[in-house]
Amino acid sequence: MSPTTSGLHHVTAIAGDPQRNADFYVETLGLRLVKRTVNHDDTGTYHLYFGDGVGTPGTNITFFPWGETGRQGEFGAGQTAATAYRIRPESLVYWRDRLDERGVDVEETTRFDEPVLAFADTDGIGLELIASESALDADTVAWEDSPVPAEHQLRGFHSVTLAVETFEPTHEILTEVLGYGLDAEAGDRRRYRTPAGSQPLDLVETNQPRGRMGVGTVHHVAFEAPDTDAEAEWRGDFADHDLRSSRVIDRTYFQSVYCREPGGILFELATPDPGFTADEDVAELGSRLVLPDWLEDERGEIEAQLPPFDPPRGTERS
């Protein structure tokens, strides 16, 4: 029997200016900058990770900031339409007011009986805050230095919404490879859950042409894999569906496998270990530029080509 993912591990997107990106996710959304490194495949670009107080898997949104001159993306089929975070039901008014005070345009709606605040970040990436009972027992760690009070902090991912031309090709991979099951339908939206059930995944059909990767779009969605043995099994399952996947790649903080599913979305499978304390203590997370061992000899050259960046610390409270 194929392994089943326990849910989302992280979401990685493409930003423009790294300073503007970090200021929004730390100072507005109250997340912690838990890791400052570089894209291992393009060392001229930062890789910034934002999560809860310790970077718990399932809380981290990460970015490759391509700079102000980076190619702009175009949203369309084969892309992530929205990344949603859980908030406690009693935090809905707090977040509505907080976003309004910071000039963030918010659309308020309801989906599957849960209130949703939908908005975009400073690069146009779709985000949602969903007031959900599942936030009450979420396995997340508050960040004591967050500008957002602990009781209102984001409780990890609620879900992602993937836009596809037609449901069936992606449905097949979700259900036959990753272990999701169809849970609910409403209009042009299908909701899927794993047996764990805490983080649904939504599919929506769109008549837009395939999107173009660039600033303002999500690069990939990562699902949690229990270990590399499970990743090896999934690689075989992808092959059985005539899909090519990568080898297992060491990303320092997790081991990863990548595969582009038939709907066009790049999926990653990532292990929970060794985690972000592989090269920094919890108290020091995000405080310096860290590089994997195989890049340390190039530190001077790498630092010289990276843009200036002053990591936000999160001090203001409201």
Side-chain angles (χ1 to χ4, degrees):
M1 183 177 178
S2 297
T4 297
T5 179
S6 58
L8 297 171
H9 184 281
H10 66 270
V11 173
T12 294
I14 302 172
D17 178 63
Q19 191 69 58
R20 185 179 64 219
N21 171 256
D23 289 347
F24 180 82
Y25 281 88
V26 175
E27 296 176 1
T28 295
L29 295 189
L31 296 174
R32 183 181 185 184
L33 175 63
V34 293
K35 192 62 60 177
R36 180 168 31 133
T37 183
V38 294
N39 181 348
H40 294 176
D41 303 319
D42 175 12
T43 58
T45 303
Y46 283 113
H47 193 175
L48 306 178
Y49 293 72
F50 305 94
D52 71 357
V54 296
T56 304
T59 72
N60 300 298
I61 189 166
T62 91
F63 290 91
F64 303 135
W66 283 4
E68 296 289 7
T69 60
R71 185 186 74 185
Q72 291 296 308
E74 295 179 2
F75 178 76
Q79 291 187 332
T80 300
T83 300
Y85 286 91
R86 294 179 292 204
I87 57 172
R88 291 175 172 173
E90 58 267 31
S91 297
L92 186 67
V93 173
Y94 171 88
W95 278 104
R96 184 195 298 132
D97 292 345
R98 182 176 181 84
L99 293 171
D100 180 67
E101 289 168 0
R102 283 155 180 75
V104 179
D105 293 330
V106 175
E107 178 183 351
E108 191 166 357
T109 186
T110 300
R111 182 183 307 139
F112 295 113
D113 299 322
E114 292 180 323
V116 179
L117 301 178
F119 56 101
D121 74 1
T122 49
D123 289 297
I125 293 168
L127 298 171
E128 295 173 340
L129 304 183
I130 299 183
S132 174
E133 295 292 333
S134 67
L136 300 177
D137 56 1
D139 187 20
T140 57
V141 179
W143 177 32
E144 62 181 15
D145 293 325
S146 174
V148 174
E151 65 270 23
H152 296 305
Q153 288 179 26
L154 307 187
R155 259 52 183 188
F157 293 129
H158 175 281
S159 55
V160 292
T161 298
L162 309 180
V164 294
E165 294 173 277
T166 57
F167 287 130
E168 294 311 318
T170 304
H171 167 95
E172 182 176 314
I173 300 304
L174 291 175
T175 58
E176 297 183 14
V177 177
L178 296 180
Y180 281 87
L182 181 60
D183 182 67
E185 295 185 67
D188 66 348
R189 182 179 294 266
R190 289 185 180 182
R191 172 154 289 183
Y192 296 79
R193 291 185 187 272
T194 66
S198 62
Q199 291 178 324
L201 181 149
D202 289 0
L203 292 184
V204 294
E205 287 188 327
T206 178
N207 58 9
Q208 293 179 280
R210 284 290 178 102
R212 185 182 75 168
M213 194 67 64
V215 174
T217 65
V218 170
H219 187 273
H220 63 265
V221 173
F223 301 90
E224 185 162 328
D227 50 41
T228 54
D229 289 340
E231 290 178 333
E233 289 190 56
W234 272 316
R235 292 190 70 208
D237 293 336
F238 286 133
D240 290 342
H241 287 77
D242 298 321
L243 296 175
R244 296 179 59 185
S245 58
S246 74
R247 59 181 174 82
V248 177
I249 301 173
D250 181 4
R251 294 304 193 194
T252 303
Y253 314 113
F254 36 84
Q255 303 292 315
S256 297
V257 167
Y258 300 85
C259 180
R260 193 170 299 279
E261 56 83 34
I265 298 152
L266 182 61
F267 284 173
E268 176 183 355
L269 304 168
T271 62
D273 298 318
F276 293 129
T277 56
D279 55 10
E280 291 180 299
D281 293 335
V282 169
E284 299 173 342
L285 290 175
S287 62
R288 62 189 178 92
L289 179 70
V290 291
L291 299 175
D293 291 341
W294 64 88
L295 289 177
E296 273 296 342
D297 289 345
E298 303 173 39
R299 176 175 286 274
E301 179 182 346
I302 289 171
E303 290 182 337
Q305 64 184 341
L306 290 170
F309 179 70
D310 182 19
R313 297 299 179 189
T315 53
E316 168 267 340
R317 284 288 180 96
S318 64

